[in-house]
Amino acid sequence: QFDAVLAALKVAIVKKDRHALQQAIAEAEGLGCEVEMLEPARKALHNIEEKQRKDEAIAALKEAAALESADNLRAAVAHAEAVGVPKKPLDQARKTLAAMNERNLVAAELQSSIDTKDIVMLKKALSRAKPIRVDAPLVQQATVVLAELQERKRRQDEMVMDVKAAIAAGDVVAARRSLAMASEIGLMAEEVSQLEEDMAALENKVIADERRHLVLRAMESAVTAEDTENLRAAISDGQRLGIPAVDLASFRDSLASLEEVAREQALRDHSFKVLRAAVAGEDKQALLIAID
């Protein structure tokens, strides 16, 4: 029986049969075989079990990679390192894991960009996603969202240009209409605020221009009517409203002429008054003075 057990040990070692080795070692130990005689069998069994653990670890690496599960692959890599899997399959698994991590990171950036509707970040994430095979439905969704955002931005830019063109042309009504339409399609708050400031400036300018126009008409009417007081008041209003001095010059000349005429008329009126008084009083001396 002892010889049969030893023979079974040798056969199991040659065949590298784990189950047979375990059985033969157990029988030999039961018969009290010396340790030296069992050592080759135990070493063979250890090598077989170690290879099996490595093979199972490599199989787990391949399975996790096939499932594209970063968490499973990360755990499989850690286990493979612990059981001493050879460098080549480990390096390949690490490379695959790094690619998975990158895809997951880019996919998260892509989803975040979709949620926040950030055109710049969405374009950047899409450019990174396509070469590394990020989830196709997510990439498709991002592509659609980007196209919608770009179309919306194009329309917003057109509206802003329309508002600015209307402001430049001094058309308050058209500028207000375009600004309202731009706001309806989601114009950025900062852009709306700036355009509102430009609109307010335009409206103030229109009001000031209208006031200056009215003052110029008032001056023209005063000159036509030879109305010195109203002309003087209108010129003062014109200065306050910022009408250029060159535009006021002719009205100042007219005012000066009217004032000169008024002074001459006042002098004539005074002279006639004195003359009439001298005639009425039959004052020869006063009459001579008045005639002079």
Side-chain angles (χ1 to χ4, degrees), residues 171-193:
D171 190 336
V172 176
V173 175
R176 276 291 174 198
R177 182 173 59 249
S178 296
L179 181 57
M181 293 173 65
S183 299
E184 286 177 3
I185 61 173
L187 199 63
M188 294 291 289
E190 304 84 52
E191 291 180 297
V192 172
S193 177

Side-chain angles (χ1 to χ4, degrees), residues 51-123:
K51 183 177 183 302
Q52 184 176 353
R53 285 193 295 271
K54 290 178 181 179
D55 289 346
E56 290 173 349
I58 291 172
L61 289 174
K62 292 178 179 178
E63 182 180 1
L67 293 173
E68 295 191 352
S69 170
D71 291 338
N72 288 351
L73 185 55
R74 191 177 297 108
V77 167
H79 176 68
E81 290 172 341
V83 300
V85 167
K87 183 176 185 298
K88 185 175 180 179
L90 259 178
D91 285 348
Q92 181 58 46
R94 292 187 184 110
K95 183 178 179 180
T96 302
L97 179 59
M100 284 185 185
N101 288 336
E102 184 180 9
R103 280 199 296 273
N104 290 340
L105 177 62
V106 173
E109 291 177 356
L110 208 54
Q111 186 61 59
S112 175
S113 300
I114 291 171
D115 295 340
T116 59
K117 294 180 171 54
D118 186 323
I119 291 181
V120 175
M121 293 303 298
L122 193 52
K123 289 174 67 175

Side-chain angles (χ1 to χ4, degrees), residues 16-62:
K16 297 181 180 180
D17 186 328
R18 179 186 178 191
H19 179 70
L21 270 172
Q22 287 174 332
Q23 185 175 356
I25 289 171
E27 290 177 359
E29 289 175 340
L31 293 174
C33 290
E34 295 179 5
V35 174
E36 291 80 4
M37 298 176 64
L38 293 175
E39 188 61 31
R42 286 176 176 151
K43 185 175 181 181
L45 178 61
H46 172 76
N47 290 340
I48 290 171
E49 290 176 338
E50 184 178 37
K51 183 177 183 302
Q52 184 176 353
R53 285 193 295 271
K54 290 178 181 179
D55 289 346
E56 290 173 349
I58 291 172
L61 289 174
K62 292 178 179 178

